[in-house]
Each structure stands twice: as C-alpha cells, then as structure tokens.
C-alpha cells in the first residue's frame, strides 16, 4: 500500500511538472500571443466598421440580445465583423468609453506581441497609457465632439465620458474642463517622451514676459556703443531651472534641441524590435531601455574634431614653456630637423564601418538566455545592464542577496553553451562595482582602425612623454598610456592573434607624436620581415652600432652586442645624471635645454630609446643567458635614463618568460593563448585563453585587467607613413650606440693585461731570477692553486716575458735580467 501511494504521488508530481513545463514553454507563449493579438485585431476592425455601419445596425443590436442576434437568420448586420463584432463595438463605444475604446484592442495586440517576444515596450508604461487614455479621452470627447455632433449615432465620449463630463461641468464649469483637458494632454506628452518636458520648460523660458518697475529711472540716451552700460545679468528662476534641466539632459547625453534625432532613434528602436534582422542606428552614449530591468548603454565615440596641423604637436607647447632663469636662448633639440613634419592622418585608412548599429534583437536574446541559464541553476538576479563595445558586449548583473559569487563564476561554460559563443569571460565581482560582469562577443564585430584612435581628441591633446595608443575598450574609449610610467612592456600571444599588429600600432602611435630628436628606436627582429619596413627611417628614428650595416638587427650575435651596448649607454647616462645632480632623464633634459649644463663637460641632450624585440623566445633558445642578462639589467635600471623595452613572444612558457623578466615587466599585453597555463604565465591569472583573437587582448598593469580591441594598422598604411618620414631631411646617420667588446669577439684563450693578477710582478721577477718558466715553481713559492698559477703564466706569456708551452718542458724565458724586466713592467703600467 505504501509503495502504491508513493507511485501515485510520483506520477502526480510528474504530471504537475509536465503541465508547468507546458505553460513555461516558449511555443505555448507564442501561440497564446498569436491568439490574443488576433482577438485585438478583430475588436479593432469591429470598432472601425462601427463608425461607418453603426447607424444601420444600431436598431437591430439595441432591440435584440446577443444570442437572438446570432440565431436570427432574417436579420442581416452590415458590420464587417458580423453580429459579434457589431455587438462588441456597440458596447465598447457607446456603452463604455467612446472612440477611445479603440485603445483596448490596441492593448490586446500589444499583449499578444509581448507574449510572442516581438515587442519589448514597457508593460507598466503601456498599461498606464491605455488606462489614462481611455478615461481622459472619453471625458475630452464627450466635452468636445458630443457638443459639436450631437445627432450622430456614435456617443463620442461613451456613457462613461458623458456622465463624468456632466458632473465636471456642474462642479468646475467649462473653463475648468478646458484646463483639465490641457492637463491631460501635458501628462500624456511627458509620459510618452521625457524630452518633451524639457522642451516645454524651454518654451516657457523663451516666451516669458518682461516687466518693468514703475519707479525705475528713465534710461539715459545712448549715442554710441561706448555709452552702453555694463551690467551683470543675473538669471531668473525659470532660466536657472532650465539650465539645471539641460545639465541633467547632458549627463544623460540627451539634448532638448535634438527632438528630431530622438524621434528617429525611437522609431529605429521600435523597428529593430519588430524586425529581428533589422538594426537601429542610435546616437553614441545613448541609454536605451528595452525593458523595465534591462538597460543598454551605447558608449560614446570620442570627438575627432581636434586634429593638429602638419608639423604641430601637443608636446611642442610643453617644450616651449620651459623656463630659462638666465634669460638665455633655450637649446632647441629639434633645431637640426626644424622642418620635420609629423605624419598626417590621411596616410591611414578610414574603414567604412558606418554608424554604430546596435542589434536590439541580439542584445535581448543574449539577455534572456543569460537570465534563463542562471535561473536553471537557482540563481536569481535583480537587474541586468548591457554596455556595447566594438567587438564585446559587457552584461552587468546584480544577483539577489544570498547568492554566492563563486557559483556564478563556475557557470562560465554553461553560459557559453547557451549563447553559442566563444570568448565568454566572467568577472566576478567587477572592480569598484557591486555587479558581476559577463563579456560576450558580438556577432558582427567592428574594426577599430588606427585612424579612429589617432584622430581622437584624447590622443591629439595628450602630453605624455611616450604616448602609446593601443585601441578601444569595451566602453569605446581610446586606451592610451605613457610608456615611461610602465616602464617596460611584455607582449605575448599565440601565432596569428594580432601580436605583430599590436607592435606596429605601438610604433605608429609613437611616430605620430615623437620628434626624431626626442626618441630613438632599436628594432630587433629575428624573423627578418616584421620590422624591415622601418628601415627607410633609419636616419630619423633608429639607433644601432656604428659598424652595423643593417638598421634592423636580425643576427643573434649582433643582438647580444646591441644589448650590451645599451647597458653601456645606460651606465654612461647614469654618470651624466650623477654629474648634473638629477634623478631622471626629464629633469636632466630640462636643465640642458635651459643651458644649465655645459656640453664641454660631456653633457648632451638625451633622447628616449625604445627597444622593441620580436620573437623573444627564439632569441632565448639560441643565445640563452647571453640575451637574458643584459635585458634583466636594462629592465632593472634603465627606467630613469629613458631606455624602455617592449618584448614580444609567441611562446609564453616559464623557461622563456622567467621570473627575472616578469619581475621587471609589470605592464603586460596578452593576446589570445591556447591554454590557461600560458595565461597565468603572462598575466598571473586566467583570461587570455578566453579571448576571441583578431586583436582582442587583455592589458594588465598590476592587478587591474582591461579588455581592449587593438587598433588595426595594415602594411600599406605603414608603408605610407615610413615613406612620408623617409622623404624628409634626416640626420647623417642612425643614432650611434657605444661600442662594447663582448666575450664573443675575444679570441679564445686571450688574456687582458689590463686585468693583471696582484702577484703578476712578483711572479715575473721570480721567473727572471730563476730563468725557469714553470707553473709548479709559481705554485710552490706563492702557495696558490694550479688554476691561479696557470692564469699568471698566461699573463706572463701575453706580456712577452716567457714563451709558449712546450709540453712537459719548462717555458723559455725571454727576459734575461731584472733591469730589462723593470723597463717592461713600467711600460705595462
């Protein structure tokens, strides 16, 4: 018996669940929506036909009940929708709310479209407009139309409107009714569109009357413009109210003077909702509410009107503002290339991306799927907001109280499955916000061109020492940083994910801002083809060893020499800073420009040096520690003297990016990688393995991660820029780096007599006195080991005191007396 009861209970639960699933089904909602919408259309047609056929059908409908009217075959009804439609129209129009009863079937149509998930118009707003419209509209129609057309078969205000109008006329009179109707109109207009409120305020301010005081003295006669009195005008209360309204509008990026554009935007939004394939074109930084709890923010494109003239740069003003206390003419580092012109923006390609089209159907579909996926796992949210970027849309959700953040973070793959999208990244929680972020790639990403980044107002007006413009963030803001503040940059990413384009974007942004006298670049390219295009600007921007033929360093042995030369340059610059009693290159150059440092004492203007290394992993595999040690030295010390490094690799493994390098490269750019381990190697956290590629990257500075779409700069654009610079007058040669003799250049076994042993002279005297060149003799007399004794013998051979080794025989001694030895030692000293 107990088992049977349990079985019945289980069966009843399954049936109950099946019925609930049936009612929750999207198909059931769609079918129900179609039925409701068709019922609304039928009622609307009946009301429209009533205005034309109601006079003929009125006697039949009023004298017979509904069932008699249907059953009677002798009575014919002229209404388009038959006897049922005629009966419904008579009741709605004449017995209820008059002509404004048409809002009831329109509301039914809206309900049907909402159940079909076609319309996203706010339900609360639709209900308010319908209820307020039929009540106020029936009163207005009864007051106006029923008095104008009293003999019509239509009761224009309906029974409701006529009764209310009679009551109001007896209580407040016809002037009160007129004011009440105006009030109805104002409320409806403001409810439909908020911008109408500010337009009404502006109209009231502009049409206000001007009153003159009776006791105000007569104004003096004005004969000329100079006679006009100067008086500060104080704004009145209405003006201040209007200004506050405009400030509120500007904070929401809506202008009361943009009425036509606002209407066009709302029309486009409605069209996009009703047609999923269509897109709406909305003004950037516009907030669109497609539902009561879903807000879509379209970030604003930065102004691109501020474009500097040819040869002009925002850093010029700062350089010209440097003060000279001695009233001497300041040193101009650009004097040698005073005619140099910076590259123009027309060298860059403008991609025809058109207006930022936002697919409302896609945004709402993603929103519904995110909510349903979270709901399937028992997670409810209170609100959701979308910020649409060029390639990524950020959905910010606020979970209900009591929901664990880790539970949402673990649903990353489930949300990606429901959205059928790659590159889903969950940020839980959002830094500085009480929300959880879900980044979803757009179905149709937009190209972020280098032209749009460099023409932005933020880049044109920035005065960074080494400005680097990477691309645009999710909020469509141009991302710019100062390389001197980083101070070194590590770039990593798998093959074909945009790493080389990112390096070219960095170099391009520097070329558009830095004068050849202020910045030099050392380009190291083991692949031999990535940076070859910059060889044209060798005499303008590049630095190399004096005896080097190629401006782009490609040979591994030359790479080692160049890096050691940079360490020598770093040490030389530190000596200059020490002599000048300054701590950083900026202070040193300011002193030199103001002629407070004497060039005769070795002081010179120090340009910034940017070292860009591509395929760092290949260099480590071939040279190993010879490459890593000078890089580590430069990364540790070179910041203050203006030497900055950018290293790129496609193999972000721990044997390539060692702990020494990571410790000195706090700023990192991560393009898409294949595994979570590689992401942790670059960023110390996961995330780079969830990017979508094609320039999608994460920029890390400390613990803060920023997702950026890297600007795209193509080879023809780089060719145009380098040719534009190369055609202009340059220096006689590339910037020379100091020569350093490396261990690779020395002969194996060669001895440096400048680094002699402290026992060298005593050992030389011992050998000359005994006339026996024996290593064991030096060991016994000085009580030292064989290795040191061997090095002493090598130094004696290099100095010409003894000959070469002769197997087991002692070496030949070339110096016969102590007097000759002392002369030789004096010459060595």
């Amino acid at each position: 018996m107990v088992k049977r009861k349990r079985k019945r209970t289980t069966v009843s639960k399954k049936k109950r669940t099946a019925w609930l699933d049936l009612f929750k089904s999207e198909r059931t909602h769609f079918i129900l929506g179609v039925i409701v919408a068709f019922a609304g259309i039928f009622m609307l047609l009946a009301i429209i036909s009533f205005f034309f056929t109601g006079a003929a059908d009125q006697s039949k409908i009023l004298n017979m009940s509904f069932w008699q009217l249907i059953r009677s075959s002798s009575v014919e009804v002229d209404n388009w929708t038959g006897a049922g439609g005629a009966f419904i129209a008579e009741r709605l129009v004449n017995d209820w709310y008059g002509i404004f009863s048409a809002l009831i079937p329109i509301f039914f149509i809206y309900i049907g479209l909402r159940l079909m998930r076609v319309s996203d118009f706010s339900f609360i707003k639709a209900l308010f407009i319908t209820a307020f419209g039929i009540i106020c509209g029936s009163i207005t129609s009864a007051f106006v139309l029923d008095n104008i057309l009293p003999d019509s078969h239509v009761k224009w205000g309906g029974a409701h409107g006529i009764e209310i109008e009679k009551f109001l006329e007896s209580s407040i009179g016809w002037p009160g009714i007129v004011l009440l109707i105006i009030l109805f109109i104002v409320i409806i207009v403001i409810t439909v569109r908020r911008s109408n409120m500010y337009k009404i305020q502006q109209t009231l301010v502009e049409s206000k009357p001007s009153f003159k005081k009776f006791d105000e003295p007569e104004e003096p006669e004005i004969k000329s413009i100079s006679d006009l009195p100067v008086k500060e005008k104080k704004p009145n209360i209405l003006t201040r109210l209007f200004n506050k309204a405009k400030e509120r509008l500007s904070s929401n990026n809506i202008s009361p003077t943009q009425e036509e554009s606002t209407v066009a935007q709302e029309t486009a939004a409605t069209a996009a909702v009703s047609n999923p394939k269509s897109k709406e074109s909305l003004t950037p930084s516009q907030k669109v509410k497609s539902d009561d709890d879903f807000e879509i923010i379209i970030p604003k494109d930065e102004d691109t009107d501020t474009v500097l003239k040819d040869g002009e740069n925002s850093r010029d003003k700062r350089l010209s503002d440097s003060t000279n206390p001695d009233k001497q003419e300041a040193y101009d580092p650009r004097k040698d290339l005073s005619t140099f012109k910076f590259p123009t923006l027309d060298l860059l390609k403008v991609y025809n991306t058109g207006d930022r089209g936002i697919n409302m159907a896609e945004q709402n579909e993603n929103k519904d799927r995110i909510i349903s996926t979270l709901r399937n796992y028992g997670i409810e949210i209170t609100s959701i907001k979308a910020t649409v970027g060029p390639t990524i849309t950020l959905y910010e959700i606020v979970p209900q109280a009591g929901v664990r953040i880790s539970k949402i973070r673990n649903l990353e793959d489930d949300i990606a499955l429901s959205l059928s999208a790659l590159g889903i990244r969950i940020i839980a929680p959002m830094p500085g916000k009480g929300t959880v972020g879900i980044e979803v790639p757009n179905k149709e990403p937009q190209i972020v061109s280098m032209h749009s980044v460099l023409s932005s107002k933020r880049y044109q007006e920035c005065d960074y020492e080494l400005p680097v413009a990477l691309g645009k963030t999710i909020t469509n803001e141009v991302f710019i940083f100062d390389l001197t503040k980083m101070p070194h940059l590590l770039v990593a990413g798998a093959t074909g994910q945009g790493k080389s384009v990112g390096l070219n974007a960095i170099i391009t942004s520097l070329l558009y801002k830095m004068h050849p006298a202020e910045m030099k670049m050392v380009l190291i390219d083991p692949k031999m083809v990535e940076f070859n295009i910059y060889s044209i600007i060798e005499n303008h921007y590049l630095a190399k060893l004096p005896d080097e033929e190629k401006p782009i360093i490609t040979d591994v042995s030359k790479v080692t020499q160049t890096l050691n030369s940079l360490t020598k340059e770093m040490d030389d610059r530190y000596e200059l800073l020490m002599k000048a009693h300054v701590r950083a290159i900026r202070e040193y150059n300011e002193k030199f420009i103001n002629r407070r440092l004497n060039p005769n004492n070795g002081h010179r203007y120090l340009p910034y040096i940017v070292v860009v290394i591509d395929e760092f992993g290949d260099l480590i595999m071939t040279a190993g520690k010879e490459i890593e040690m000078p890089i580590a030295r430069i990364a540790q010390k070179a910041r203050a003297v203006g030497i900055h490094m950018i290293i790129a690799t496609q193999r972000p493994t721990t044997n390539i990016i060692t702990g020494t390098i990571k410790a000195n490269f706090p700023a990192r750019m991560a393009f898409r990688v294949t595994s979570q381990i590689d992401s942790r190697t670059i960023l110390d956290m996961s995330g780079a393995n969830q990017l979508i590629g094609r320039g999608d990257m994460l920029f890390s500075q400390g613990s803060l991660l920023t997702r950026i779409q890297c600007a795209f700069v193509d080879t023809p654009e780089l060719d145009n820029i380098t040719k534009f610079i190369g055609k202009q007058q340059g220096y006689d040669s590339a910037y020379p780096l100091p020569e350093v003799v490396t261990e690779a250049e020395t002969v194996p076994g060669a001895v440096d007599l400048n680094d002699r042993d402290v026992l060298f002279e005593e050992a030389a005297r011992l050998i000359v006195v005994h006339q026996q060149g024996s290593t064991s003799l030096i060991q016994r007399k000085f009580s030292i080991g064989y290795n040191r004794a061997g090095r002493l013998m090598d130094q004696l051979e290099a100095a010409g005191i003894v000959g070469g080794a002769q197997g087991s025989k002692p070496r030949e001694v070339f110096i016969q007396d102590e007097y000759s030895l002392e002369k030789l030692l004096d010459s060595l000293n």
Side-chain angles (χ1 to χ4, degrees), residues 220-354:
E221 183 181 0
I222 300 173
K223 296 181 180 180
S224 64
I225 297 178
S226 59
D227 295 335
L228 286 170
V230 180
K231 186 173 71 173
E232 184 181 357
K233 185 178 180 181
K234 295 183 179 180
N236 56 20
I237 295 176
L238 286 175
T239 305
R240 289 198 296 269
L241 287 174
F242 177 64
N243 290 336
K244 287 183 180 179
K246 285 183 67 177
E247 289 175 4
R248 287 169 54 196
L249 263 178
S250 60
S251 65
N252 293 326
N253 296 311
I254 303 172
S255 174
T257 60
Q258 295 176 342
E259 178 66 23
E260 296 179 359
S261 61
T262 309
V263 174
Q265 291 160 12
E266 295 191 356
T267 307
T270 308
V273 171
S274 60
N275 185 5
K277 295 182 180 180
S278 68
K279 288 184 179 180
E280 60 165 334
S281 297
L282 296 172
T283 305
S285 193
Q286 180 85 14
K287 290 185 179 180
V288 180
K289 279 204 172 186
S290 61
D291 204 343
D292 295 335
D293 55 351
F294 184 46
E295 182 181 32
I296 299 176
I297 299 176
I298 302 124
K300 181 180 180 182
D301 282 321
E302 300 212 4
D303 297 334
T304 58
D305 298 334
T306 307
V307 179
L308 300 178
K309 298 178 182 178
D310 294 344
E312 188 181 0
N313 196 293
S314 60
R315 301 179 79 251
D316 297 345
K317 185 177 185 300
R318 193 187 62 203
L319 290 173
S320 62
D321 289 343
S322 55
T323 58
N324 191 348
D326 298 333
K327 302 298 181 180
Q328 298 179 2
E329 182 183 359
Y331 172 77
D332 185 10
R334 303 183 179 185
K335 189 174 183 179
D336 294 338
L337 297 182
S338 58
T339 60
F340 179 81
K341 293 184 178 180
F342 289 93
T344 56
L345 292 174
D346 56 5
L347 300 174
L348 299 172
K349 184 178 179 181
V350 180
Y351 291 89
N352 186 20
T353 56

